[in-house]
Amino acid sequence: MAGKARLSTRMVRYRWLFVLLLPGLAYFAIFKYAPMYGLTIAFQDYLPFLGFSGSPWVGFKHFADLFSSPDFPRVLSNTLILALLSMVFVFPAPIVVALLLNEIRLSVLKRAIQSAIYIPYFLSWTIVAALTYLLFALDTGPITQLMNNIFNQRFDFLADPDWFRPLVIAQTLWKEVGWGTIIYLAALAGVDPNLYEAARIDGANRWKQMWHVTLPGIRSTIIVVAILSAGNLLDTGFERIYLLTNSLNRSVAEVFDTYVYFLGITQGSYSYSTAVGLFKAVVGIVLIYSVNWLARRFGHSGLY
Amino acid sequence: MKPFKRLTAVVGAMAMALPLALVACSSKAEEKADPADLATLTVMIPLLAADAAAPAVDGEVHKAVEAFTGKKLQATWVPNSNYGDRMNVTLASDNLPEVMVVQGKLPAFVQSAEAGAFWNLTGKLDAYPNLKAENKQIELNSSINGQVYGIYRRRDPMRAAVIVRKDWLTKLGLSMPQTVDDLYRIAKAFTENDPDGNGKKDTYGLTIPKWPGVYATASPYDVIETWFGAPNGWGERNGKLVPGFDTPEFLEANRFVKKMLTEGLINPDFATLDSAKWDQQFFTGKGGIIVDVSSRASVLTRLFKEKDAATYTNFVDLTGNLTGPDGKKRSYPTIGYNGFLAISKQSVPTEAELKDVLTTLDKLSSKQGQILLNNGFEGKNFKVQEGYAVGQNATDPAMKTITNDVMSYAQLGTASNGYLAYVSLPAGQFEKEQYEKRVKFHKADEASAVHNPAQAIVSKTQVAKGAQLDQIIADARVKFLAGQLDEAGLKAEIQRWYSQGGQDIVNEMNQQYAKVKK
């Protein structure tokens, strides 16, 4: 009871601060929490005409359908493989680039490189896909011709299922690595210069300085980014996948995001596609909690 | 300190008022329009031109439509690109327009119609002289299991054509194809005999782009399969409906396409070529043949004309459907309609009001109404010449507005009683001859059209899973052609179609088919 009383006194004393909190709360309530009511259609046979209240309830039917669907193993493994690949290749790439940039002494050169690698982030996926089609077109794309000449065989990057994942990862790297370095560069700027000086006096070369001073200095940033990106692990992205998909590579290209679009928008199975989306979100939450737990387990502070 | 305090108070008050304002908004939106308002017709129409603005309410065309029908017109123009999404949202709201353009038997529409959201017009339309269907087969095609839920919007019943580089034919001393064997021979000559005379083997015969649709969506594959005798989507074999891809003719046709592919007579990137580049391949002299709708020939002719107006007549020739390997001609028709106008039961609750709405639509479909919706005002923005409409005063901005508005209002027209307005006069003598040739061979092809007997039938499983299942077939077909699957693999994929729900579709289709046929 005592705690409660204290809260109410605090509320009276800081009333204007609480008032200031209201717009933020309203934002989350209206735009984030209220729409979650729509998730109920995952447990209904939803018909737009009948609406939320009129559509019949079917319990876990759509989830049962999903798990027993012949598409499920394929879509799940495609999603997981892409997620794993981006964990291995896309996640560390900005760290490496940031470290490299950090070693550049000439600040004009550093800034020029930074600006150049930020630009792709502002292009839409449609443009990136169009560039990819241009560069990797069968027989006529410049990169295809180059590769054909070097390896003396005929590459079909756009249609060959084996090349789908490398292309998607390469696209993502090109587009997003530069932008991803920003947070690490900020963290690098915060590393105490005295530590470098001390390390140099102890005889550390640049490699050792990086290993023993720089990396520990930005470790907490890396962990926070890792936890946050774990939640988005299954968000393989819709456009970049959809725009590269064709009949020949669909077997490796179909992921949850495109599957939901295909079922929900093209086929009008709103309830089923909502169930798929909800499943994906639950996996995302589980991943956030487990990575956070792991981080704390290894003695770091974690996200919360 | 004091002014700051006042400011926080204002912000706080605003923050508190915000949710209230939102609540106020939403309760207002729930208010229904007066349904008994007979004087107003509310419609929802797709706006096709992406760059054009929706017709203005005080525009001349809008006013003329209102004067002609004697109704106040309240049109909601929705950009075509997200018309489907918007239709779904509208179906879920409780504020449906009286008349809605529906762009086909989309799952959400079928489910809503069957749940009673729209008037069942079966047998009702014949009482209206201008809504009585010109072609009962198409009216049936547009129905849901024989129940007509909308007035179909007519489109040309035949559009398939083979478009060939005329200059290449001339150079190699060949003539236009009549049969699929001719098609093969010409494609082979186009690939191997250097039709562009540059001394390099850098051309091929047929261009096929990445096809966005699934099975039976008027792709070049679908058209060629029909020529070989495969059913158009569904076919009747031994009194039962079977899916077109489970027939020997389907396989034979695809063996033919595969043979052309392996011999290099078709562009090797057929699975990935952007369909926006389809014309470019023809125009720049890479591929010499296109199997598509005949109107593509006009687009190509215009490209050549823009490049060189003196010689443009030498490049594009076209013909209709080709004769199959057995010497029999089978033509690939369109479904004959492009969506329909459906009438909401919620906004038009009584039979008397329905009658009133139908009378208005009947007026719009009369000859005079069709000319207003498709051409505009005779003597003002167009004149009639040799039975064609010719635009005039095109530089006058007011006339431009009329012409643009008319293009939008044409979407409201149905012409299910036949197209009675004027066709616009092709740009030159050559284009006019080309157009007349098109009309002629389309008319001739109608006699050998292979219709889809299951067009009217909607099966529950088809609605729920059809797109997903038909993707299996479309992918398997491309994989077979690309060599990723052999014939056994293709057949296995067809079996997969059956086992993942296709068998249910076949059973349901046959049940409904027996009912509708009666």
Side-chain angles (χ1 to χ4, degrees), chain A residues 194-257:
Chain A
N194 289 330
L195 293 175
Y196 289 107
E197 210 177 291
R200 272 200 298 277
I201 290 169
D202 289 345
N205 59 21
R206 278 182 87 166
W207 177 255
K208 292 246 167 180
Q209 285 176 38
M210 190 198 83
W211 192 250
H212 293 288
V213 179
T214 316
L215 273 180
I218 62 169
R219 191 167 53 195
S220 57
T221 309
I222 296 178
I223 288 168
V224 167
V225 174
I227 294 171
L228 289 177
S229 59
N232 298 332
L233 199 62
L234 294 192
D235 286 331
T236 41
F238 171 71
E239 296 110 310
R240 58 177 182 155
I241 307 282
Y242 181 76
L243 292 167
L244 272 188
T245 306
N246 55 54
S247 287
L248 295 178
N249 64 19
R250 197 183 315 276
S251 55
V252 297
E254 196 146 56
V255 293
F256 278 118
D257 290 316

Side-chain angles (χ1 to χ4, degrees), chain B residues 449-464:
Chain B
V450 179
H451 289 286
N452 178 353
Q455 195 58 253
I457 299 171
V458 174
S459 109
K460 230 177 142 179
T461 315
Q462 173 89 30
V463 170

